[in-house]
Structures are given as C-alpha cells and as structure tokens.
C-alpha cells in the first residue's frame, strides 16, 4: 500500500518516492509514497510532474494510486521526485475548507444536511436537504460563512480507528456509516468549534487562509433539495 503523505501533510509540495510497480499497459506507476491527491469527496485529483515528466492522470484503482505518464516510464526500484502543481492544489485546499465552513454554518444555524458537493479551484457547489432555503437567506449564510473564516479557526486532521470514529455523534450526520467495512481507519477533518467530518481531502490548516467566500448562485432542485454555488477570492 502506498503511504498517503497528503493525509497528514497537505502542504507537502514535492517528495521522493520509490517505484513499487509499473504497468506498461496502463502507463501507470505505483509508488511507495505519494503527495499527489488522487481525487475524491468532491475534490479533483492533483496535477504535477514525476521524474520531470508531466502526469496525465492520477487516480485510485483497486486500492492503489496510479500515476499515469505518457513519457518514458521509470523502472521498478528507482527513486523519483514528484512535484505537485502547488498553486492549483492550494486553491483547492482553500476551496475545500470553504465548503466545510459552509456545511458547518448551514448545519449549525439551520440544521440542514449536506447531500453532495463538487469543486474546482476557487469554485464549488453544495447540495443540501434544506427546505427552508430561499434567496433571502443566501446573504445571511454568506455573512455567517465569512465571519467563521475571519474567526481564524484551526483545522485539525486526525486518523482514528474505525470504532472510535463511530462513537463521535457529529460524524454520524456525515454518513460515516456508508464507509466500506474494510476501512479500519477513519480520517477526520475538524474546523475547531464549527464542523467535524470524515473526509479524505486536503485542507488549509486555519480558516484565515481561505480568503473570502461569495455565494454566486442558488438553485432550488425541488421542495427539499437546494444547491448553493460559491466562489473563493482573496480576503
Ligand atoms: Zn470534504
């Protein structure tokens, strides 16, 4: 299994990894460790270079992380250097944390649950079971989100044994019970004092790094399901 360096250090921009396997067919490399986020939880996969060559894709497959290269492939046993496209990744970290602040505020102030979400650098959308959401509430939510960001709340990452994670009441609402039974360790992302979720993504370490969040659009997808679109800009 590849050691997932981004799980404990989301600020790691480059790393050395040993080539554990090479698939000529899929042009993919498996490393002993990686700082590249392979995508998931609404956050797209990283981009970057490996041994100086541009990666065409980074994705999960059968419990492994595949680094796909069009150029010549390294050999098993080689140690190679990986470099994450940092500007894009940092934008995604700011955006992902902004989305959790939004979830936290909407749950705390309105008791509404998130049902899904998606993001790209500095842009995202979230879906809520939020019957009461109307256009007039949008500016209230936006102001509350920016207050929480300005409060400079710490963002804390933990890796917990599954059983321990299941005892945390806050995690139940984020559908932790949908985790496959073979996952023995649960990673949690806590915005201290606001939000706690089981989450695999990369985040900034303090909400003050997010910047400013603007709710740019809102759509009713029916009586209950509502969608909120956000943009993240400099503070
Ligand atoms: Zn998340």
């Amino acid at each position: 299994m590849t050691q997932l360096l981004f799980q404990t250090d989301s600020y790691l921009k480059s790393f050395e990894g040993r080539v554990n396997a090479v698939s000529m067919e899929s042009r993919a490399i498996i490393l002993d460790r990686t700082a590249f986020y392979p995508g998931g939880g609404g956050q797209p996969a990283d981009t970057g270079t490996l041994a100086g060559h541009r990666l065409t894709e980074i994705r999960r497959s059968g419990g492994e992380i595949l680094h796909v290269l069009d150029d010549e492939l390294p050999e098993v046993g080689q140690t190679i250097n990986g470099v994450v496209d940092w500007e894009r990744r940092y934008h995604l970290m700011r955006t992902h944390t902004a989305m959790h602040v939004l979830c936290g505020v909407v749950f705390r102030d309105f008791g509404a649950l998130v049902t899904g979400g998606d993001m790209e650098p500095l842009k995202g959308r979230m879906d809520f079971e939020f019957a009461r959401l109307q256009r007039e509430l949008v500016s209230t939510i936006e102001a509350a989100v920016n207050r929480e960001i300005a409060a400079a709340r710490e963002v804390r990452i933990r890796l917990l044994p599954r059983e321990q994670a299941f005892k945390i009441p806050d995690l139940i609402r984020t559908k932790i019970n949908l985790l496959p039974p073979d996952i023995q360790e649960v990673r949690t992302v806590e915005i201290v004092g606001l939000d706690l979720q089981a989450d695999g993504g990369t985040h900034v370490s303090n909400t003050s790094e997010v910047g400013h969040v603007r709710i740019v659009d809102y759509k009713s997808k029916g009586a209950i399901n509502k969608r909120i679109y956000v943009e993240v800009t400099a503070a």
Side-chain angles (χ1 to χ4, degrees), residues 41 96 100 197 199 203:
H96 201 156
H100 283 216
Q197 297 189 33
D199 191 271
H203 289 261

Side-chain angles (χ1 to χ4, degrees), residues 211-224:
H212 184 82
V213 169
R214 212 159 64 83
I215 297 180
V216 290
D217 203 2
Y218 143 85
K219 271 196 188 110
S220 179
K221 313 284 283 179
I224 293 172

Side-chain angles (χ1 to χ4, degrees), residues 180-197:
D182 59 315
I183 292 181
Q184 287 311 312
E185 204 175 40
V186 177
R187 183 173 180 272
T188 62
V189 175
E190 179 181 16
I191 299 176
V192 176
L194 179 68
D195 186 68
L196 176 62
Q197 297 189 33

